[in-house]
């Protein structure tokens, strides 16, 4: 159903509001809907560059000057959204914490003849929240602080918001979303809302703009055909990492997700160095399959010294679990959890890069493809190519791209 709609994001800082807002905005836009996001944080950073508006005290409810400034920013965005909708816009997304009833009433009064839909984001996953806070502490607005000071300041800011948080109760249309699990926890809709079914779909579906899935470069263990361990890249592996860095130099990669192992970090570092601003986030969920008692052995050694392992694994590779280690089947849950973290932490940026391992990357790729489980442990995962994955309501693309050739395109 066509029409005009105001979406109001609600939630404490770092709960995934902007990520959800961007996901909604971008996907509705792909559907041909005129949509625009009005983000108070971005406007604040533009208007009041410098330390002042990023300090925790700026957000204190008892700081009259800060409060006035924040309300001014909110009114400016509300006005801009009104103009946008009056000039043909269809969906305006007001992206801010909007935690007080007073603020929400002001918004409602500004759009007396339009339906409003409040989307409140929560995230009950402590680990993902912590990782998000750490990521936020590295943002430009905290660059004058040490990482510890930045984190402390951000936590203080959150506590100020917590102290004034008022639950949604009088708002007619509201959805409570778990932004980490991409699921709707509660909803109350009291009128027919335009685009509502689509919005529900988008909130609960994973959309992947450009995911670059890279396997680490060659390691000393790879040379000897040894599995597991934490070995470093060989000279050839470093060349591969530099090749990737050249290849991606014209493609903006704001974050690279790796495992905790040195080989993924050594592959990611040259890529990050060639970028304007790029952070590397290591996730234990992307560590390679743990081969238990076989860690550090070659496949040949396993065949000779533990023939029962080779015999049992061969016909049932997906379900086989190494003694004292893992199997593809037991990695599934953690790898999916890692992916959720990636989508939560990357701020719905267009481009995401994951530098992983052979088995882990197979699991990641398999989570997007409908493959029989028996096929998954045999998915081709070379070290001189990467997978480029795109999934949105209009396309599903999986391309294997050699990175010594020219970059794919510079439009990203
Ligand atoms: O050889 C590299 C490696 O990443 C090992 O660490 C890991 O055990 C193996 O590949 C996974 O591949 P497969 O399941 O085919 O043995």
């Amino acid at each position: 159903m066509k029409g005009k709609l105001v979406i109001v994001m609600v939630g404490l800082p770092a709960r995934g509001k902007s990520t959800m807002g961007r996901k909604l905005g971008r996907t509705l836009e792909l559907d041909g809907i005129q949509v625009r996001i009005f983000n108070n944080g971005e406007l604040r950073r533009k208007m009041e560059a410098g330390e002042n508006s990023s300090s925790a005290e700026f957000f204190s409810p008892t700081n009259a000057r800060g409060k006035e400034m924040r309300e001014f920013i909110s009114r400016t965005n509300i006005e801009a959204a009104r103009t946008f909708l009056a000039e043909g816009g269809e969906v305006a997304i007001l992206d801010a914490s909007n935690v007080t009833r007073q603020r929400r009433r002001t918004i409602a009064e500004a759009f007396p003849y339009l339906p409003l839909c409040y989307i409140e984001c929560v995230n009950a996953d402590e680990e993902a929240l912590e990782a998000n806070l750490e990521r936020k502490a590295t943002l430009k607005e905290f660059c004058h602080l040490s990482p510890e000071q930045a984190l402390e300041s951000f936590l203080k800011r959150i506590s100020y918001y917590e102290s004034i948080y008022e639950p949604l109760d009088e708002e007619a249309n509201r959805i409570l979303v778990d932004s980490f699990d991409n699921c709707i926890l509660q909803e109350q809709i009291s009128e027919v809302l335009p685009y509502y079914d689509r919005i529900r779909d988008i909130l609960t579906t994973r959309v992947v703009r450009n995911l670059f899935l890279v396997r680490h470069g060659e390691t000393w263990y790879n040379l000897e055909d040894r599995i597991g361990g934490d070995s470093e890249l060989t000279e050839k592996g470093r060349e591969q990492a530099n090749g990737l860095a050249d290849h991606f130099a014209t493609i903006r990669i704001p974050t690279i997700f790796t495992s905790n192992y040195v080989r993924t970090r050594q592959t990611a570092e040259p890529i990050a160095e060639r970028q304007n601003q790029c952070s590397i986030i290591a996730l234990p969920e992307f560590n390679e399959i743990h081969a238990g008692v076989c860690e550090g052995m070659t496949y040949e050694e396993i065949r000779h010294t533990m023939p029962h392992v080779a015999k049992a694994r061969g016909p049932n590779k997906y379900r086989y679990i190494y003694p004292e280690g893992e199997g593809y089947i037991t990695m599934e849950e953690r790898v999916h959890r890692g992916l959720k973290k990636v989508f939560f932490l990357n701020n719905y940026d267009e481009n995401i890069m994951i530098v992983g391992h052979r088995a882990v990357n197979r699991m990641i790729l398999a989570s997007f493809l409908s493959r029989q489980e028996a096929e998954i442990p045999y998915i081709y995962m070379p070290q001189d190519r990467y997978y480029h994955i795109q999934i949105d309501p209009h396309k599903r693309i999986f391309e294997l791209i050699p990175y010594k050739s020219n970059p794919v395109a510079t439009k990203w």
Side-chain angles (χ1 to χ4, degrees):
M1 177 194 149
K2 278 272 193 190
K4 290 187 194 279
L5 177 69
V6 182
I7 295 178
V8 185
M9 306 305 295
V10 178
L12 292 173
R15 267 35 179 215
K17 294 184 301 295
S18 298
T19 304
M20 277 293 175
R22 287 163 70 133
K23 183 174 162 187
L24 277 170
R26 176 66 192 146
T27 317
L28 289 172
E29 198 177 31
L30 284 173
D31 290 348
I33 295 161
Q34 296 281 326
V35 53
R36 194 167 298 163
I37 300 174
F38 301 87
N39 179 308
N40 288 12
E42 265 169 29
L43 186 58
R44 171 177 58 80
R45 284 182 286 272
K46 252 192 235 155
M47 285 169 61
E48 260 248 357
E51 308 176 13
N52 192 19
S53 79
S54 66
S55 75
E57 288 323 301
F58 179 80
F59 299 89
S60 161
T62 57
N63 175 353
R65 167 100 186 89
K67 199 169 165 205
E68 195 186 303
M69 187 73 193
R70 282 183 286 121
E71 288 315 314
F72 173 72
I73 290 169
S74 172
R75 282 196 307 276
T76 308
N77 264 340
I78 292 173
E79 253 335 291
R82 275 162 56 100
T83 309
F84 166 72
L85 293 169
E87 291 175 352
E90 292 170 305
V91 177
I93 302 177
L94 297 176
D95 181 8
S97 53
N98 299 321
V99 294
T100 62
R101 282 195 193 98
Q102 187 49 51
R103 166 69 71 77
R104 297 193 290 266
R105 281 179 196 151
T106 309
I107 295 174
E109 281 159 18
F111 301 96
Y113 305 113
L114 290 183
L116 271 78
C117 180
Y118 293 85
I119 300 182
E120 184 180 16
C121 294
V122 291
N123 163 27
D125 190 286
E126 281 299 319
E127 247 181 68
L129 180 61
E130 239 170 70
N132 203 16
L133 292 176
E134 274 168 29
R135 187 189 63 82
K136 293 251 182 197
T138 64
L139 295 180
K140 220 163 138 200
E141 66 172 317
F142 294 118
C143 63
H144 57 290
L145 301 177
S146 70
E148 295 75 31
Q149 287 169 326
L151 189 61
E152 197 186 312
S153 163
F154 200 68
L155 286 171
K156 183 89 197 148
R157 182 193 300 190
I158 294 178
S159 75
Y160 283 140
Y161 276 108
E162 268 165 341
S163 71
I164 54 166
Y165 206 111
E166 291 171 308
L168 282 92
D169 43 20
E170 57 186 30
E171 293 75 10
N173 308 310
R174 48 185 201 259
I175 312 176
L176 181 67
V177 183
D178 182 324
S179 49
F180 179 70
D181 269 329
N182 285 309
C183 63
I184 292 176
L185 300 172
Q186 272 175 31
E187 62 190 314
Q188 180 191 302
I189 303 297
S190 315
E191 61 192 294
V192 179
L193 289 183
Y195 319 108
Y196 186 62
D197 290 341
R198 192 73 192 103
I199 288 169
R200 281 190 102 262
D201 270 1
I202 299 168
L203 290 175
T204 53
T205 322
R206 196 159 56 186
V207 176
V208 180
R209 301 290 313 283
N210 292 297
L211 170 59
F212 303 108
L213 182 63
V214 178
R215 186 177 165 204
H216 62 79
E218 184 193 76
T219 65
W220 295 105
Y221 261 32
N222 290 151
L223 261 187
E224 296 168 12
D225 210 19
R226 289 190 189 283
I227 64 172
D230 192 12
S231 87
E232 303 210 357
L233 297 187
T234 59
E235 196 48 46
K236 181 175 167 194
R238 288 179 191 277
E239 272 168 28
Q240 287 168 327
N242 289 330
L244 282 161
D246 287 344
H247 182 87
F248 284 100
T250 55
I251 301 172
R252 206 179 61 84
I253 312 283
T255 320
I256 305 178
F257 296 91
T258 66
S259 72
N260 282 340
Y261 290 125
V262 69
R263 53 198 187 270
T264 56
R265 182 141 201 121
Q266 285 180 338
T267 307
E269 270 163 359
I271 306 172
E273 275 158 26
R274 292 288 298 277
Q275 296 282 321
N276 208 355
Q277 221 195 349
C278 172
S279 43
I280 299 176
I281 300 182
L283 298 177
E285 286 87 352
F286 292 156
N287 287 353
E288 181 54 316
I289 189 169
H290 194 274
V293 295
C294 299
E295 278 281 302
M297 295 173 80
T298 66
Y299 289 108
E300 190 58 27
E301 283 167 357
I302 297 173
R303 265 193 297 276
H304 277 100
T305 59
M306 297 186 189
H308 55 287
V309 168
K311 210 170 152 218
R313 193 170 192 246
N316 202 359
K317 205 170 161 189
Y318 189 85
R319 293 190 163 249
Y320 179 79
I321 300 169
Y322 281 108
E324 295 171 39
E326 293 181 298
Y328 280 84
I329 190 163
T330 57
M331 283 167 69
E332 195 177 318
E333 204 242 314
R334 71 162 164 96
V335 171
H336 287 180
R337 193 179 148 66
L339 275 175
K340 277 191 199 167
K341 277 193 182 174
V342 165
F343 289 107
F344 182 70
L345 294 174
N346 97 310
N347 211 12
Y348 199 67
D349 225 299
E350 298 196 356
N351 305 333
I352 307 175
M353 179 177 280
I354 299 175
V355 179
H357 304 260
R358 177 153 69 183
V360 152
N361 285 11
R362 284 172 175 158
M363 296 301 290
I364 293 175
L365 197 63
S367 80
F368 298 108
L369 298 164
S370 37
R371 286 282 185 103
Q372 303 277 340
E373 69 173 41
E375 293 172 43
I376 296 173
Y378 299 98
I379 295 176
Y380 185 44
M381 202 51 70
Q383 279 166 314
D384 59 352
R385 287 148 211 233
Y386 64 89
Y387 281 94
H388 177 201
I389 303 167
Q390 290 180 296
I391 302 174
D392 68 38
H394 307 277
K395 60 175 177 291
R396 285 177 74 80
I397 298 177
F398 300 87
E399 266 183 293
L400 192 54
I401 300 177
Y403 54 75
K404 270 186 190 148
S405 64
N406 293 330
V408 219
T410 48
K411 65 179 167 156
W412 306 307

